[in-house]
Each structure stands twice: as structure tokens, then as C-alpha cells.
């Protein structure tokens, strides 16, 4: 089940979504590194649908894990912009 964090700061709505089992893990492949910091990603356990609703309002989003595929399917993320580090999908979204 994904964790969802929403922060509002300086006119931005920042959304972080991550699979719980990835908290605290570090992934590295070639020169790419991904550290899944619990303090950034841990939020409310919620449904994929609620996560996608949060992305609708997000101006900045940071996604790690299974939510990336759902965000692609919903049209929030272009699959060409997804990084896979040790086969863990990671994507960021910025909206003006």
C-alpha cells in the first residue's frame, strides 16, 4: 500500500508517494543513486486512487515504486522520463 505525503510551501503543492517496503533503502546503479528517506516519503497509508487524486493538485511530485506505473496509466508521467535504479521505478513531475 502506498504512502502519500502532501506539503504546501511557497505556493507549491508537493506530493511524495512511495511503497512502504522501500522506506530506508538505498539503490544504486552505475552513477544513479536513490535513497528512500523515510522522513520525506512516510505519510498516510492510502489507496492508489487517492494518490492519483493528489497528483491532480500537485505542482511538484516525487514518486517511487508501484505508483509510477499507475501515474503513467493516468497520464501524469511520461514513461520515457522514468528512471529505474535496480529495477525500482522513480519519477518526478513538475507543473507550472
Amino acid at each position: 500500500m502506498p504512502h502519500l505525503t502532501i506539503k504546501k510551501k511557497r505556493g507549491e503543492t508537493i506530493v511524495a508517494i512511495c511503497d512502504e517496503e522501500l522506506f530506508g533503502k538505498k539503490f544504486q546503479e552505475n552513477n544513479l543513486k536513490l535513497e528512500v528517506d523515510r522522513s520525506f516519503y512516510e505519510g498516510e497509508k492510502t489507496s492508489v486512487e487517492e494518490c492519483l487524486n493528489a497528483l491532480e493538485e500537485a505542482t511538484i511530485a516525487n514518486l517511487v515504486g508501484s505508483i509510477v506505473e499507475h501515474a503513467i496509466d493516468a497520464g501524469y508521467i511520461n514513461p520515457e522520463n522514468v528512471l529505474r535504479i535496480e529495477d525500482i521505478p522513480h519519477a518526478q513531475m513538475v507543473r507550472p
Side-chain angles (χ1 to χ4, degrees), residues 42-96:
E42 187 172 27
E44 181 182 337
K45 283 185 186 182
T46 190
S47 69
V48 168
E49 182 178 338
E50 287 181 75
C51 290
L52 294 176
N53 287 340
L55 289 177
E56 183 66 32
E57 303 300 320
T59 55
I60 299 171
N62 199 313
L63 315 174
V64 179
S66 62
I67 192 63
V68 173
E69 289 301 320
H70 295 287
I72 289 169
D73 292 343
Y76 293 108
I77 299 293
N78 181 331
E80 294 178 7
N81 296 329
V82 175
L83 293 175
R84 289 192 174 273
I85 304 169
E86 292 186 39
D87 207 35
I88 302 298
H90 172 60
Q92 295 180 331
M93 178 187 84
V94 178
R95 209 183 269 152

Side-chain angles (χ1 to χ4, degrees), residues 1-4 17-27 34-38 41-43 45-46 48 64-68 70 87-89:
M1 180 170 274
H3 275 241
L4 169 66
I17 306 169
C18 182
D19 296 333
E20 182 175 39
E21 64 271 12
L22 299 177
F23 291 161
K25 294 188 178 179
K26 296 178 184 180
F27 303 94
L34 174 63
E35 184 173 340
V36 186
D37 189 331
R38 181 180 291 271
Y41 287 103
E42 187 172 27
K45 283 185 186 182
T46 190
V48 168
V64 179
S66 62
I67 192 63
V68 173
H70 295 287
D87 207 35
I88 302 298

